[in-house]
Amino acid sequence: MSILEEYINIETVLDNTFIIAFDYPLSTKSKFCDDIWDFTDKKKERLKSVTDSKMKINWKAWQSKLPESIIGDIKVLAFFFLKCPTVVSQRNTIVSKGYKPNTISGYILDFLKFIHQIYTTRVIELPSGDNLNLLQSFSDILLEDIKDTAVKNKKSSQEIISIKKCLKSLGNPIVQKHLEGIIDWNARDIKNIYFAKKEDNKELSSYETQPLPDNYFQYISRSATVDVISFLKQMNMPIDSYIPKSYEKKLKQHLNKKSLRLLFDDYVHMRQKERNFAMVHQKRDSYTSEMKVKFYKKHGVKVSEFHNLLNHVHRASLFLLLQFTGVRYSEATTFKVGCLKKVTADVSVIRGAVIKHRDSKLPTDIDEWVACPIVRDSIKVLEEISRFTFNKYLLSSTYSVYLDIPEEPYSNSGINSLLSMYAADIDIEEKFSEMKKDKNGKTRRVVKREYFISVHRLRHTLALNLVRAKLGIPYISYHLKHVHTAIVAREKINNVTLGYGGISNELFKMPLVAEQAKEELINEIYHPNSPVEGGVNKDEFKKRRQEFFQGLMVDDEDFKEIMYDLKKSGAPFADVGLGYCGGKKEIPLKDGSKKPPPCVGQLQCNPVQCGNAVIPKSKIPMWIKIYKDNFAKLSDPYFQYAEKEIRQFVNESKEVLENFGVKVDDL
């Protein structure tokens, strides 16, 4: 390990002999004495998604705003963050792995702004008309100065975290030994200070932290699936996704062509010619205008039309890749052409880099995400598109990389806008979007604010649905079922993969998601207006449920409190796939006798025949699958030996579905 990567042994700091050398190297580009600390490093691919500005600390920009003594002491603080994190952090993950430069840069910038606010308030006007600032070092900053500034200047939550972190660390006795100014406060003093907080845009922030609504999530997932599979079929490429019959009917024929392969290859050839011309002549030009005319004559399709189709399918592929891997933006930017690897006969993974809490020096292809079939199909599309973009990053635009421009992934805001554009584009009925004029006066369809998509939101959506998969509630797309199965299959192979990029850990760190899933379960079973079916005692269950609430004579507040208590105590029901089991060991009959429930073991029970069963509305997709699978078997000679049993399953599932208002003839 080089000196740039080493952390200072805390024992050398505690023995009072350690001195921060003027020329101590902090990065390959910077020393302690430099006016700009530059941590950019092209060799560290894991930092690719971090902008250069966040990888630098510009001390020079503050030299005219703050005294040299104060800047010098903040430099010392930044040094400890970088080289001796055990002094300034109690968190095990930070102590073992250190702070990343971009994290430190954020802390220091927020802190410099805060100290500057204190500095500007301690000014007196002299008789000569000149101004004299009373603060020349940290010795001059009192705890009262900090309190006053904290109250008068509203900050965001992240800014408050940064400022408190820096103030507490400056008060650390070990750090103080290396400061010019004597600090007037300690960590306990700072902990008790009230900071005025900025009013967040509650509407927008609530959407950002909320998973996509179920109907919206399903709508986009279905549309994107149809777009991707239709495109692959017309490109004569193999398809990994299982295609239900309901999807077969919806598959499109893009541009009214049976095959797109020849069009695509001609288009790639044209883009290659454009790029070669630009590289030779060092400029972009409409060199291929004649080729575009020939393209139209040959295929009956304008190049612009074909390009728009590719953009549409490109966005659909990006949505499916991000939604069904649940990666963070920074991690998605590490996915490159060739990242999809087959590890067993039925399990493939995407190799990339988990960024958070991982050392930035690690290679970018050692972490893995389970790639369910539709993700694999989406990657096929993205890799085909890379043939004419000449960009190795899957998360990149459909423009070709020209001249000496480096290959780059999309920015975070760029990919978020693109995902929302796809959602608006497919929403012809405007259930989730609306028509608006842009700044140029052009009218276009955009998603409503509550339906704006971000990579972060998609991660929340997957986390919620993984919780649901564990609890068995409510709708899980068949894509997600594959994901869940694959995760379990990989449990003993790779811990990062099992974590699905960290999501499994988040299931226990995201109480809102777990609470939301539990609340859905309680409402589905206990809410008096929630439709339930199944079980020979279903009517008795509904009656008892209704009587329970009517007997309590509840108003709205009481009702909410009761539902809260039920959520807190949990539902005494076990998920058995097609419904929920109340868990009674015996079923009382009308003649007074009892009999055991008709279980077949391993939770493969028959909820229609069992009095312990409750089937909520969320189980409809599973019953549809049961109905379709068994209905198809009735006409299959191979299953004629079990026709009686199969017909029973068909009739039972038909009864359950029709009681929920589902017309099986339309399936």
Side-chain angles (χ1 to χ4, degrees):
M1 182 181 288
S2 70
I3 189 172
L4 296 177
E5 298 168 348
E6 285 181 354
Y7 292 119
I8 297 168
N9 189 324
I10 192 170
E11 292 179 4
T12 65
V13 178
L14 293 174
D15 66 8
N16 293 324
T17 59
F18 175 76
I19 298 174
I20 300 176
F22 191 66
D23 59 350
Y24 195 105
L26 299 175
S27 72
T28 55
K29 300 177 180 178
S30 304
K31 298 177 182 179
F32 181 83
C33 60
D34 291 339
D35 289 334
I36 297 176
W37 290 1
D38 187 346
F39 301 100
T40 56
D41 188 348
K42 291 183 178 180
K43 293 180 180 179
K44 293 182 179 179
E45 283 284 327
R46 286 173 179 260
L47 298 175
K48 190 77 176 180
S49 63
V50 183
T51 59
D52 283 0
S53 61
K54 292 182 179 179
M55 294 294 292
K56 297 177 182 179
I57 302 178
N58 189 347
W59 304 109
K60 188 176 182 179
W62 293 90
Q63 288 173 358
S64 61
K65 301 176 183 179
L66 290 171
E68 183 179 340
S69 171
I70 288 179
I71 292 177
D73 283 349
I74 298 178
K75 265 191 170 185
V76 169
L77 173 64
F79 179 88
F80 273 97
F81 278 135
L82 278 167
K83 293 299 178 183
C84 200
T86 50
V87 170
V88 291
S89 178
Q90 299 300 316
R91 289 173 54 192
N92 290 332
T93 53
I94 296 299
V95 169
S96 61
K97 299 172 185 175
Y99 290 93
K100 292 183 179 178
N102 52 308
T103 302
I104 299 170
S105 175
Y107 283 163
I108 296 301
L109 180 59
D110 290 337
F111 188 54
L112 283 165
K113 290 177 181 177
F114 181 76
I115 296 301
H116 183 254
Q117 287 175 336
I118 296 177
Y119 182 76
T120 55
T121 61
R122 295 290 300 275
V123 178
I124 60 172
E125 187 175 342
L126 299 175
S128 61
D130 295 329
N131 290 330
L132 174 66
N133 197 293
L134 300 178
L135 300 185
Q136 294 303 313
S137 75
F138 273 108
S139 299
D140 300 323
I141 299 179
L142 306 177
L143 184 61
E144 290 304 315
D145 296 325
I146 296 172
K147 288 180 178 179
D148 289 345
T149 305
V151 172
K152 293 176 182 177
N153 299 274
K154 293 182 178 180
K155 304 288 183 185
S156 68
S157 299
Q158 184 54 55
E159 288 173 321
I160 294 171
I161 291 172
S162 299
I163 295 164
K164 280 192 168 185
K165 179 71 179 173
C166 291
L167 288 170
K168 287 178 181 179
S169 299
L170 276 178
N172 185 302
I174 298 174
V175 176
Q176 284 193 36
K177 292 178 182 178
H178 300 269
L179 303 179
E180 287 188 34
I182 301 172
I183 303 301
D184 184 48
W185 64 84
N186 56 40
R188 183 176 295 178
D189 294 328
I190 302 304
K191 184 179 180 180
N192 295 325
I193 290 178
Y194 168 76
F195 279 77
K197 192 175 178 181
K198 281 182 181 177
E199 284 288 333
D200 294 328
N201 184 331
K202 292 182 180 179
E203 183 184 26
L204 185 60
S205 61
S206 65
Y207 299 143
E208 277 294 312
T209 57
Q210 286 295 315
L212 299 179
D214 277 355
N215 58 340
Y216 188 42
F217 160 65
Q218 295 168 35
Y219 180 72
I220 306 175
S221 297
R222 289 194 198 104
S223 297
T225 298
V226 168
D227 281 330
V228 166
I229 293 177
S230 298
F231 181 75
L232 289 176
K233 283 178 76 73
Q234 283 185 267
M235 287 286 287
N236 306 317
M237 295 176 67
I239 297 168
D240 286 350
S241 299
Y242 162 72
I243 310 172
K245 289 184 179 179
S246 58
Y247 272 58
E248 286 278 11
K249 298 175 184 177
K250 297 175 182 176
L251 293 181
K252 304 172 183 176
Q253 200 172 76
H254 294 297
L255 301 176
N256 296 319
K257 300 288 182 180
K258 288 184 178 180
S259 175
L260 294 175
R261 173 50 69 185
L262 187 56
L263 280 80
F264 188 84
D265 288 343
D266 284 351
Y267 182 79
V268 171
H269 177 67
M270 191 186 314
R271 294 286 289 265
Q272 178 70 64
K273 287 284 187 181
E274 284 182 339
R275 186 170 191 260
N276 291 344
F277 180 86
M279 292 179 72
V280 171
H281 297 279
Q282 292 294 298
K283 65 177 181 178
R284 300 189 190 200
D285 207 334
S286 57
Y287 166 73
T288 56
S289 55
E290 188 176 327
M291 294 180 70
K292 291 175 183 177
V293 173
K294 290 180 179 179
F295 185 92
Y296 178 69
K297 288 181 178 180
K298 181 178 180 179
H299 301 294
V301 175
K302 292 181 179 179
V303 169
S304 58
E305 289 179 309
F306 192 61
H307 182 72
N308 289 339
L309 166 63
L310 294 175
N311 278 341
H312 184 80
V313 178
H314 174 247
R315 294 164 188 173
S317 302
L318 288 173
F319 171 82
L320 292 169
L321 170 65
L322 294 166
Q323 177 60 91
F324 292 101
T325 54
V327 292
R328 299 177 180 91
Y329 161 73
S330 58
E331 295 157 353
T333 60
T334 68
F335 293 168
K336 302 173 186 174
V337 172
C339 65
L340 185 65
K341 306 292 181 183
K342 195 168 187 176
V343 291
T344 67
D346 59 348
V347 176
S348 296
V349 297
I350 303 172
R351 293 221 171 112
V354 174
I355 301 299
K356 199 164 185 178
H357 305 312
R358 299 275 278 172
D359 196 321
S360 59
K361 299 186 296 295
L362 290 171
T364 58
D365 59 351
I366 60 172
D367 297 325
E368 298 173 349
W369 285 260
V370 177
C372 64
I374 195 61
V375 167
R376 299 200 292 270
D377 287 335
S378 298
I379 290 176
K380 291 174 193 173
V381 174
L382 295 173
E383 290 190 337
E384 279 293 296
I385 288 174
S386 73
R387 288 179 55 199
F388 62 77
T389 64
F390 312 101
N391 194 329
K392 62 178 173 286
Y393 294 98
L394 294 185
L395 210 74
S396 60
S397 77
T398 54
Y399 289 105
S400 296
V401 177
Y402 281 166
L403 307 178
D404 297 323
I405 300 171
E407 299 170 43
E408 297 283 358
Y410 266 121
S411 67
N412 195 6
S413 58
I415 187 63
N416 292 344
S417 297
L418 205 72
L419 294 170
S420 296
M421 285 170 62
Y422 175 75
D425 191 32
I426 62 176
D427 186 26
I428 299 173
E429 297 179 2
E430 296 184 12
K431 294 179 180 178
F432 313 105
S433 60
E434 58 191 355
M435 300 302 291
K436 278 194 173 182
K437 286 186 178 181
D438 60 21
K439 59 183 179 181
N440 298 319
K442 186 177 180 180
T443 302
R444 62 189 182 94
R445 192 184 303 120
V446 297
V447 291
K448 297 174 184 175
R449 177 171 294 207
E450 62 266 35
Y451 296 116
F452 184 80
I453 301 176
S454 67
V455 179
H456 184 67
R457 240 187 136 173
L458 296 185
R459 184 172 172 82
H460 274 275
T461 303
L462 184 65
L464 172 63
N465 281 288
L466 285 176
V467 173
R468 288 171 170 171
K470 190 174 181 181
L471 298 177
I473 60 172
Y475 170 88
I476 304 293
S477 76
Y478 70 89
H479 300 319
L480 204 54
K481 180 179 180 296
H482 283 300
V483 171
H484 199 254
T485 304
I487 289 174
V488 174
R490 292 277 289 164
E491 182 171 1
K492 296 180 181 178
I493 302 176
N494 184 291
N495 287 333
V496 175
T497 303
L498 176 64
Y500 216 62
I503 277 189
S504 68
N505 292 329
E506 288 193 21
L507 299 185
F508 302 99
K509 296 177 182 176
M510 295 170 61
L512 289 178
V513 172
E515 284 298 303
Q516 183 175 343
K518 189 188 293 184
E519 187 173 346
E520 288 173 350
L521 169 59
I522 296 300
N523 283 331
E524 282 211 312
I525 294 178
Y526 287 125
H527 197 290
N529 297 327
S530 177
V532 292
E533 290 299 327
V536 295
N537 294 330
K538 66 176 181 181
D539 293 332
E540 180 186 339
F541 174 78
K542 291 179 184 178
K543 182 180 178 183
R544 282 190 284 110
R545 186 177 66 175
Q546 197 69 34
E547 288 176 347
F548 173 75
F549 285 99
Q550 286 179 349
L552 291 173
M553 299 287 289
V554 296
D555 57 21
D556 287 344
E557 286 302 314
D558 292 333
F559 179 80
K560 289 179 183 177
E561 191 172 336
I562 291 168
M563 295 303 288
Y564 174 79
D565 288 338
L566 287 170
K567 182 175 71 174
K568 200 172 180 182
S569 59
F573 285 83
D575 185 356
V576 290
L578 293 176
Y580 293 93
C581 174
K584 295 179 181 177
K585 293 182 179 180
E586 293 184 318
I587 301 174
L589 303 178
K590 292 182 179 179
D591 62 4
S593 62
K594 297 180 179 180
K595 73 170 184 178
C599 299
V600 293
Q602 297 182 339
L603 297 181
Q604 299 176 39
C605 66
N606 187 328
V608 175
Q609 297 179 24
C610 180
N612 293 334
V614 175
I615 305 174
K617 195 174 181 179
S618 62
K619 296 294 183 181
I620 288 177
M622 296 185 182
W623 282 94
I624 289 176
K625 186 177 187 308
I626 290 291
Y627 175 80
K628 287 183 175 180
D629 289 350
N630 285 285
F631 188 79
K633 288 177 182 177
L634 285 176
S635 56
D636 189 336
Y638 183 79
F639 291 102
Q640 290 306 303
Y641 70 93
E643 181 184 359
K644 183 179 178 181
E645 291 81 359
I646 293 171
R647 192 169 295 280
Q648 178 186 333
F649 294 148
V650 169
N651 292 336
E652 286 180 348
S653 54
K654 180 179 179 180
E655 179 185 349
V656 170
L657 290 169
E658 289 185 342
N659 285 339
F660 276 120
V662 178
K663 296 180 180 179
V664 295
D665 293 337
D666 296 337
L667 296 177

